[in-house]
Amino acid sequence: MENILLSDSESSKEEYKKIMSQTVEAITASFDSDKAYTGPEPFDLKKIVKEDTILPEKGLGWEKTFSLTKEKILPNLLHPSSPNYMPHLHSPCTLESLSSEAIISAFNQSMDSWDQAPVATEIEVEVIRHLCALYGYSEGSDGIFTSGGSQSNQTAIILARDWFISNILGYDVKKYGLPANFKKLRMYTSEISHFSMEKSAHILGLGYESVVKVPVDSKRRMDKNVLKDLIEKDIKDGNIPFLIVCTVGTTDFGSIDPLKEASELCKKYNMWLHADAAYGSGVILSKKYSERVKDLSLADSITVDFHKMMLLPISCSCVLVKKAENFDALTIHADYLNREEDEEDGYTNLVDKSLQTTRRFDALKVWMSFLQRGKDGWSEIITKSMENAQFLYNTICKKEDFEVLCEPEISSVVFRWKGKAEQAVSDEINKKVRRTLLHQHGIVIGQTKADGKVFLKFTLLNPLVTEEKLVELVALIEKLCREA
């Protein structure tokens, strides 16, 4: 049982240093090319990782276990930090955030009660205070860190539902559950919004039918005129609108829904406005482009993801709320955890406003990265990714054999090779080229569908990607398409 934990004993400290040193050496050695993926195709990879057992009668010990890790795992891991990786909202990580991850794992704070995470609790409270100010919220606002955008969105939808039923319908949903007319509740979101809207509606007992999908315009933004018409029609039909979710950075296109117009509708019809800015929240840090998301402050709640544009390790997200008292919907006291007398004596128990009980100290990643790089550093990072997207868009638009759906608002470019082929043929060519890039060139790009056609996608989050690199990638895609 010796040295199974990092403790105050010198032998455990030395063992920890040895393990971490070997790990760091192996990790850095695995970064031996600029390819995003060098592993095998799925069926071959399954064979590599298959073992008779991963729980042997007698443990293999550290050296043998780590040897297997270096043999089977490290060579086959994806490299999101590669300039050849751009398929998803899945970012590389800043170096300082890797340090914060080591601290988080070594001390293993649990963010539910103060006595499990004293300074970690106070740092999260402090980080949330600054984030509220960054997004234009005044005193009286609040927030909580979450596992990701889906949970942030779900939290916001719960708060919106409870606020509306309690304050507008005058019914105690927390005590009695959903009211008899709950099937008439309606929330409105873009037809290309994140699937967490439907998933949350299902989990909350409202069902998919409560989610009204609003068509988008040519810029892939929620059509504000159709939104207004749908709300008014629902009211006329006896339904009960309670929430509008504007996406600030759609998953595929990075399009930004009309927050100002949605806010006006919410005020008119006593509805809650949530901004799913999991992607676009990073734009606020760009001195050049922050104006594009200036209306975030109009929302009653905002989803912010740091593991997308802000380059922090998964997972790191939060939900901000304009009025802190709305978190009361999630508060329930337990004598073993968040005792009422604790709050009276200044102990903050963050479980009071979280869907999770046990949580990681993810706020440390934000605290360290914001302090290290400052406004200037973050502005440079975010601006570079956005300007890369504009450059790529301009480059592809000049090529007659390509089709681009819309000009990027953030850092995503969706396009397809069409050539002179029929759509069915060009669809298959685009699919084939994406896999060819993955398995023969170590280049990972995205694929999606729009208007019934197959499109390729560059999601540009890596600020180290150069314009020259983008020109090379487009030329390679063009070559492969012509040869397919």
Side-chain angles (χ1 to χ4, degrees):
M1 296 289 285
E2 186 181 5
N3 292 340
I4 64 169
L5 305 175
L6 175 59
S7 69
D8 61 347
S9 77
E10 290 304 317
S11 62
S12 78
K13 292 177 187 177
E14 290 304 313
E15 185 70 10
Y16 174 77
K17 289 178 187 177
K18 181 189 82 171
I19 287 173
M20 294 304 289
S21 176
Q22 289 178 347
T23 302
V24 169
E25 184 178 350
I27 289 172
T28 52
S30 72
F31 282 77
D32 56 359
S33 81
D34 70 349
K35 292 184 176 181
Y37 182 66
T38 56
E41 295 189 22
F43 289 115
D44 291 329
L45 187 57
K46 293 179 196 298
K47 294 175 184 176
I48 290 173
V49 302
K50 187 174 178 57
E51 299 281 354
D52 292 334
T53 180
I54 61 166
L55 187 62
E57 288 296 325
K58 184 175 177 59
L60 303 181
W62 163 252
E63 299 297 340
K64 177 62 175 174
T65 298
F66 194 57
S67 176
L68 286 171
T69 303
K70 290 191 290 184
E71 174 192 339
K72 293 175 176 289
I73 309 300
L74 290 180
N76 299 314
L77 285 171
L78 203 67
H79 288 230
S81 59
S82 165
N84 287 308
Y85 184 82
M86 51 193 73
H88 304 289
L89 290 166
H90 177 191
S91 72
C93 302
T94 62
L95 287 171
E96 71 276 5
S97 68
L98 301 181
S99 167
S100 65
E101 279 285 353
I103 295 170
I104 291 167
S105 62
F107 287 89
N108 201 34
Q109 309 291 280
S110 182
M111 302 302 298
D112 36 334
S113 61
W114 195 94
D115 62 1
Q116 296 181 79
V119 73
T121 295
E122 301 301 344
I123 286 292
E124 178 165 329
V125 170
E126 180 72 358
V127 169
I128 288 291
R129 182 174 70 86
H130 285 279
L131 290 171
C132 285
L134 178 65
Y135 289 97
Y137 280 2
S138 57
E139 190 174 346
S141 55
D142 203 355
I144 192 75
F145 273 74
T146 71
S147 65
S150 291
Q151 189 180 80
S152 291
N153 288 334
Q154 184 182 349
T155 300
I157 294 170
I158 291 171
L159 301 185
R161 182 201 65 180
D162 282 26
W163 167 83
F164 184 86
I165 293 175
S166 298
N167 292 277
I168 306 303
L169 299 185
Y171 183 85
D172 191 342
V173 65
K174 191 173 183 180
K175 185 174 182 179
Y176 300 113
L178 295 174
N181 58 350
F182 76 91
K183 289 187 177 180
K184 294 183 178 295
L185 290 169
R186 294 292 181 269
M187 56 183 281
Y188 304 83
T189 186
S190 160
E191 65 180 341
I192 56 173
S193 64
H194 195 261
F195 68 84
S196 56
M197 306 310 155
E198 288 96 324
K199 181 177 283 190
S200 295
H202 166 221
I203 292 170
L204 298 181
L206 302 178
Y208 290 174
E209 286 191 357
S210 70
V211 183
V212 180
K213 304 306 285 282
V214 183
V216 295
D217 59 22
S218 61
K219 295 184 177 180
R220 306 290 152 169
R221 300 168 177 169
M222 185 161 57
D223 190 312
K224 58 189 178 185
N225 296 318
V226 177
L227 171 64
K228 179 176 180 293
D229 292 342
L230 286 170
I231 292 171
E232 291 177 348
K233 182 180 184 303
D234 268 326
I235 293 172
K236 185 178 179 181
D237 291 344
N239 292 316
I240 308 172
F242 77 99
L243 168 67
I244 298 174
V245 179
C246 282
T247 307
V248 180
T250 54
T251 303
D252 278 340
F253 306 100
S255 43
I256 299 172
D257 287 339
L259 284 160
K260 185 177 180 181
E261 291 80 0
S263 175
E264 291 168 356
L265 288 169
C266 285
K267 289 175 183 175
K268 182 176 180 179
Y269 296 111
N270 290 322
M271 300 168 67
W272 180 289
L273 176 60
H274 174 59
D276 175 12
Y279 180 6
S281 49
V283 178
I284 200 76
L285 298 174
S286 169
K287 293 176 182 178
K288 184 172 181 179
Y289 296 112
S290 61
E291 187 75 6
R292 294 185 183 181
V293 296
K294 63 180 173 57
D295 290 333
L296 276 171
S297 60
L298 299 175
D300 296 293
S301 54
I302 307 170
T303 287
V304 179
D305 269 11
F306 305 95
H307 53 229
K308 291 184 171 68
M309 289 196 85
M310 289 183 258
L311 311 186
L312 300 189
I314 297 167
S315 59
C316 196
S317 177
C318 74
V319 59
L320 306 177
V321 177
K322 184 175 285 186
K323 294 183 178 179
E325 60 265 27
N326 286 307
F327 273 123
D328 291 347
L330 301 178
T331 302
I332 184 168
H333 290 284
D335 290 336
Y336 54 81
L337 196 62
N338 56 336
R339 296 158 290 272
E340 292 190 42
E341 66 264 24
D342 281 0
E343 298 168 17
E344 296 167 2
D345 294 332
Y347 294 90
T348 300
N349 297 310
L350 294 176
V351 73
D352 287 350
K353 52 186 177 178
S354 174
L355 292 181
Q356 295 170 272
T357 304
T358 304
R359 286 190 300 114
R360 301 175 80 247
F361 180 24
D362 290 324
L364 180 63
K365 292 179 269 194
V366 180
W367 190 82
M368 289 179 68
S369 288
F370 274 26
L371 280 173
Q372 173 165 337
R373 301 191 181 274
K375 290 182 178 179
D376 284 349
W378 278 110
S379 179
E380 183 180 5
I381 287 169
I382 301 298
T383 300
K384 174 59 176 174
S385 293
M386 295 178 71
E387 293 190 336
N388 272 344
Q390 188 64 49
F391 174 82
L392 177 62
Y393 170 79
N394 293 339
T395 300
I396 295 175
C397 281
K398 294 173 184 175
K399 296 181 175 293
E400 62 178 18
D401 284 338
F402 284 90
E403 174 185 357
V404 191
L405 270 181
C406 58
E407 189 169 0
E409 289 190 89
I410 304 181
S411 62
S412 294
V413 181
V414 178
F415 65 98
R416 69 192 303 272
W417 185 85
K418 57 181 182 179
K420 304 295 187 291
E422 294 181 0
Q423 183 190 318
V425 175
S426 60
D427 280 351
E428 291 306 311
I429 289 174
N430 283 284
K431 290 178 185 179
K432 179 181 178 181
V433 165
R434 185 187 69 85
R435 288 196 179 178
T436 300
L437 289 170
L438 172 63
H439 293 296
Q440 295 183 24
H441 298 270
I443 298 168
V444 190
I445 66 171
Q447 178 183 310
T448 190
K449 286 193 79 171
D451 300 337
K453 305 172 186 176
V454 172
F455 280 83
L456 302 175
K457 179 176 68 168
F458 278 27
T459 306
L460 297 164
L461 301 178
N462 188 336
L464 301 184
V465 172
T466 63
E467 292 181 355
E468 292 76 17
K469 180 68 178 179
L470 294 172
V471 170
E472 289 174 8
L473 288 175
V474 171
L476 176 59
I477 291 170
E478 190 171 20
K479 176 178 179 290
L480 292 174
C481 286
R482 293 186 187 283
E483 292 174 352

